[in-house]
Amino acid sequence: MTVLSIKDLNVTFSTEGGRLHALKDVSFDVPERRIVGVVGESGCGKSTLINAILGLLADNGRVDAGSITFEGEDLTRLGPARMQELRGQRISTVFQDPMGALNPVLSVGRQMRNIQYRSGRSRSEKDARSEAMLRQVRIPDAQAALARYPHEFSGGMRQRVAIAMALMMRPALLIADEPTTALDATLEVATIELLRELQQDIACSVLFISHHLGVIAELCDDVVVMYAGEVVERGTTRQVFHTPRHPYARRLLECDPARQSGRTRHLPTIPGEIPDLRQRPPGCVFATRCDQRVDACDKVPPDVAVETGHVARCVLAEAR
Amino acid sequence: MVIVSVAMLILFCMIYLIPGDPAAVALGPRATDAMREGLRIKMGLDKPVWVQFWNFFFAAWQGDLGRDVLSDRLVATVVMEQLPYTLALIFGGISWSVALGIPLGCWAAVERGTMADRIVGVLSVAVIAVPSFVVAIYALLIFAVALRWLPAIGAGEPGDIGDQLVHLILPSLAVGLGWVGYIARMVRASMLEVLESQHIRTARAFGLPERMITYRYALTIAILPTVTLLGVGIGQMLSSAVFAEIVFARPGVGKLVYDAILTRNYPLVTGAVLVTTILFVLLNLLADLIVGALDPRVRSRL
Ligand SMILES: Nc1ncnc2c1ncn2[C@@H]1O[C@H](COP(=O)(O)OP(=O)(O)O)[C@@H](O)[C@H]1O
Ligand code: SF4
Ligand SMILES: [Mg+2]
């Protein structure tokens, strides 16, 4: 069973310099109970992807084509009321910045109670639920923590509070947008452990966005590699990390020999720049930085299935 | 404390530099030189400047502001009699500005870019630009003289709260109207800023209703700069209160100072201005306390 299935998704933003094609023909699945990692340089469209799923694209953005099927419903066609109903209940999100992600003037307990506003439970039932959730993310003295404000917690604790809030309604899908980028290495490991544990407990799927290849390799079942708004390669973690087929994925991974356990917290840098998304190149989007390009690259490369579930968007993928 | 002391020094210098002899004014044109000299000694005006200042300073800290030259009553008593009227006027002005400014600013922010937003913007600038005495005069002419909806002058029957409130409506509008504009602009700007912040995105991602996000998650933060602004703005409101009290012939500290300056009743002027300064400092402190009560980040720093 797939929980989330994205097919040929295209998202554009209207800007002063014309339409910016932020996501182009993006397709991948998030199967039930699996953790799917998304990697890519900053600006490659990871946040846009999340916002499109959540129905929270900026006012100047829109879905031009494609579908986002979640538990049988196409999210791109749902009205705002139904979308709002799904958010926080069936699809929940943990954001990168634990400092700014919680409301500074409302107590943690109040914010957790508000998230349950739809549940029809009484106030004390809601608070009991919040407390249990805080205990589950190992916040010490959970009952007292409800009365405290976000600034009274450390960065790591705050991120755990945010995770508790996100998982409060036992969603089917948890989206984690670089949840550990702002934390130091020790806290990162602890947070990843916690996420995995909770994912097993709640039996949800996770869409995990990160710059950290080591964490992706360790945590994720599947990987999606994005470049300039396109999914250039996707497959199981094993397939992508062991036999990367797209030149971009290969370049990312070869920089890091001990990759699975590597401590590189940032993506390796590759010479060159992402093309201007307002004027996409007519052929392969990676052509300007690719060291293996051939004449055929002037045409849009196909999605090549190199193995079951392992797909690369490169003309050379087939030949190998 | 420091602010009040510095204010006292400045005040003393200003009064000292104003030409004219308080003793002469107090006694009228038919007094003899001897009588004037006698009063001057009684008032301490024959002493060197610094002694005069020290006497004033020392007495003031003990609550003795001297005596009213004309009626010979204690200045402190005279000022305290008038203070409630001015306080009522200031709080009335704040009520108007908060009751109109916050909803307007919030609305403009939520509806940003629309016609409503633009109209609020233009209105805000307009009411800020109009001086409060002009508002006072027009409010008087329109609502009291032409339409006869509200009373024109005075502060209402003593003891009759309802009547006093009715008499407060127009003068406090004159004091507060400009602030409606300031606050609307301020709230709009900070609302827009807050609505962009990460925690609002999180609240949306948790599926919270837009109304809850606007009022409980955003506005509670967006009004904080407004409270601080109001604290500082008390000074400006106090000066508008002078005009409002004169135009509407209301009792109050502003009217008191105005009359006292005209009659060179210096102890009364210094006393009233001093009390006003203390009031300003206290209301500022109150604004800080309110911010502390509304913002847990500030509270934990106190
Ligand atoms: N509201 C917007 N208006 C215009 N362009 C946008 C907007 N949001 C994102 N973009 C553009 O879309 C591209 C993808 O951005 P983003 O999804 O934030 O990337 P990532 O999260 O991977 O860093 C970038 O080129 C960015 O400039
Ligand atoms: S299609 Fe061509 S240019 Fe693009 S990645 Fe493959 S080889 Fe490089
Ligand atoms: Mg991003």
Side-chain angles (χ1 to χ4, degrees):
Chain A
M1 262 288 284
T2 45
V3 169
L4 180 78
S5 174
I6 298 178
K7 285 239 152 39
D8 298 321
L9 183 68
N10 283 268
V11 171
T12 60
F13 292 105
S14 68
T15 67
E16 275 155 30
R19 286 211 84 77
L20 187 150
H21 205 154
L23 294 182
K24 184 174 174 242
D25 299 329
V26 167
S27 299
F28 68 91
D29 289 345
V30 179
E32 206 172 20
R33 293 187 187 210
R34 274 172 93 88
I35 304 183
V36 177
V38 178
V39 260
E41 299 166 283
S42 106
C44 74
K46 301 181 300 282
S47 298
T48 304
L49 175 66
I50 294 177
N51 290 336
I53 297 170
L54 292 173
L56 291 176
L57 281 175
D59 291 339
N60 62 336
R62 64 158 195 248
V63 173
D64 285 333
S67 63
I68 304 172
T69 311
F70 173 75
E71 294 188 321
E73 287 179 286
D74 183 358
L75 302 185
T76 62
R77 291 164 188 280
L78 291 185
R82 176 73 185 132
M83 232 18 251
Q84 190 200 314
E85 231 168 78
L86 291 177
R87 284 198 297 267
Q89 317 283 312
R90 303 300 301 151
I91 308 178
S92 210
T93 319
V94 179
F95 290 102
Q96 170 178 347
D97 176 18
M99 297 305 196
L102 305 179
N103 190 295
V105 301
L106 299 177
S107 69
V108 163
R110 183 70 168 279
Q111 295 184 53
M112 296 186 86
R113 200 190 298 147
N114 286 348
I115 294 171
Q116 307 174 70
Y117 77 103
R118 237 183 253 280
S119 71
R121 296 191 192 106
S122 76
R123 182 186 266 228
S124 57
E125 281 169 337
K126 286 179 190 167
D127 287 347
R129 173 101 189 81
S130 308
E131 198 188 317
M133 205 61 223
L134 285 183
R135 204 166 288 128
Q136 206 174 357
V137 298
R138 294 196 275 280
I139 297 291
D141 201 359
Q143 193 179 0
L146 288 179
R148 289 162 72 194
Y149 292 88
H151 73 274
E152 298 173 286
F153 294 90
S154 67
M157 291 247 270
R158 221 172 309 181
Q159 192 60 302
R160 278 186 284 157
V161 171
I163 292 172
M165 288 183 184
L167 294 178
M168 188 98 148
M169 306 311 287
R170 301 192 151 251
L173 175 67
L174 175 72
I175 299 174
D177 186 2
E178 306 189 28
T180 59
T181 306
L183 305 178
D184 68 39
T186 330
L187 281 175
E188 177 169 46
V189 173
T191 309
I192 297 293
E193 288 298 313
L194 180 69
L195 268 179
R196 201 210 309 266
E197 188 186 306
L198 290 167
Q199 183 255 344
Q200 308 256 306
D201 180 61
I202 292 175
C204 63
S205 308
V206 178
L207 186 61
F208 187 89
I209 285 150
S210 179
H211 276 156
H212 191 165
L213 290 170
V215 166
I216 296 264
E218 207 173 290
L219 180 72
C220 299
D221 304 306
D222 299 321
V223 183
V224 172
V225 181
M226 286 186 69
Y227 179 79
E230 297 188 30
V231 172
V232 292
E233 181 155 356
R234 65 189 143 96
T236 63
T237 306
R238 195 179 166 74
Q239 287 167 336
V240 175
F241 275 69
H242 282 267
T243 52
R245 288 307 190 81
H246 193 280
Y248 176 65
R250 226 176 293 143
R251 292 269 286 280
L252 279 187
L253 295 164
E254 77 192 4
C255 302
D256 185 9
R259 29 199 196 232
Q260 276 80 344
S261 59
R263 279 276 158 257
T264 37
R265 303 205 55 206
H266 301 284
L267 278 185
T269 40
I270 290 171
E273 277 172 26
I274 293 192
D276 184 349
L277 298 182
R278 283 167 302 198
Q279 275 124 35
R280 290 185 152 269
C284 172
V285 68
F286 188 58
T288 50
R289 292 162 90 178
C290 184
D291 49 14
Q292 289 168 302
R293 54 170 309 178
V294 292
D295 286 347
C297 304
D298 292 341
K299 284 191 301 227
V300 177
D303 278 343
V304 179
V306 286
E307 243 180 78
T308 345
H310 188 185
V311 176
R313 191 173 284 181
C314 171
V315 291
L316 297 182
E318 213 152 17
R320 288 173 57 102
Chain B
M1 287 277 263
V2 178
I3 297 172
V4 175
S5 303
V6 171
M8 283 165 78
L9 180 61
I10 295 172
L11 195 61
F12 182 83
C13 294
M14 275 165 42
I15 299 274
Y16 190 79
L17 291 175
I18 298 174
D21 181 351
V25 175
L27 294 173
R30 285 183 301 155
T32 63
D33 276 354
M35 282 163 73
R36 279 195 277 264
E37 199 50 44
L39 184 61
R40 239 185 247 127
I41 290 167
K42 187 175 158 228
M43 288 170 75
L45 292 176
D46 58 330
K47 308 241 174 58
V49 187
W50 63 270
V51 177
Q52 282 186 43
F53 177 67
W54 180 249
N55 287 343
F56 160 70
F57 191 83
F58 195 71
W61 273 123
Q62 294 179 323
D64 176 9
L65 298 174
R67 281 177 181 277
D68 180 346
V69 178
L70 298 180
S71 69
D72 204 36
R73 296 167 64 213
L74 280 175
V75 166
T77 316
V78 177
V79 175
M80 286 307 163
E81 265 171 23
Q82 304 294 316
L83 194 60
Y85 294 104
T86 301
L87 273 180
L89 194 54
I90 299 288
F91 282 113
I94 292 176
S95 307
W96 274 108
S97 59
V98 166
L100 294 177
I102 291 179
L104 279 177
C106 185
W107 187 47
V110 172
E111 303 281 316
R112 74 184 161 286
T114 63
M115 202 56 178
D117 180 18
R118 253 167 279 151
I119 292 173
V120 172
V122 171
L123 276 181
S124 304
V125 177
V127 296
I128 292 171
V130 181
S132 62
F133 67 87
V134 176
V135 179
I137 291 169
Y138 274 95
L140 182 79
L141 289 177
I142 296 171
F143 294 105
V145 177
L147 297 173
R148 293 178 176 279
W149 286 351
L150 292 163
I153 55 170
E157 285 298 313
D160 181 348
I161 302 282
D163 192 39
Q164 290 188 340
L165 281 179
V166 169
H167 278 83
L168 194 59
I169 295 176
L170 288 181
S172 60
L173 179 67
V175 171
L177 190 64
W179 283 87
V180 174
Y182 282 124
I183 291 180
R185 284 167 62 99
M186 187 92 178
V187 168
R188 179 185 183 274
S190 44
M191 258 317 253
L192 288 181
E193 200 187 308
V194 174
L195 284 172
E196 285 300 308
S197 53
Q198 177 60 50
H199 61 83
I200 296 296
R201 193 163 104 106
T202 313
R204 292 213 172 97
F206 285 150
L208 298 182
E210 209 52 34
R211 277 179 62 93
M212 190 194 265
I213 292 176
T214 306
Y215 297 107
R216 300 222 205 121
Y217 281 63
L219 189 60
T220 44
I221 300 172
I223 58 168
L224 296 174
T226 301
V227 179
T228 312
L229 178 79
L230 268 176
V232 179
I234 298 286
Q236 209 245 321
M237 286 203 197
L238 281 165
S239 67
S240 322
V242 178
F243 292 113
E245 284 167 3
I246 294 166
V247 171
F248 291 95
R250 279 174 63 87
V253 179
K255 181 87 168 29
L256 187 73
V257 174
Y258 176 77
D259 290 342
I261 290 175
L262 289 185
T263 56
R264 295 203 201 296
N265 195 342
Y266 292 156
L268 200 53
V269 176
T270 24
V273 174
L274 199 59
V275 169
T276 314
T277 311
I278 294 170
L279 184 68
F280 174 75
V281 172
L282 287 180
L283 289 176
N284 247 304
L285 196 68
L286 181 69
D288 288 347
L289 289 177
I290 293 175
V291 170
L294 295 175
D295 188 343
R297 292 166 296 180
V298 174
R299 192 157 63 226
S300 59
R301 247 183 276 133
L302 287 179

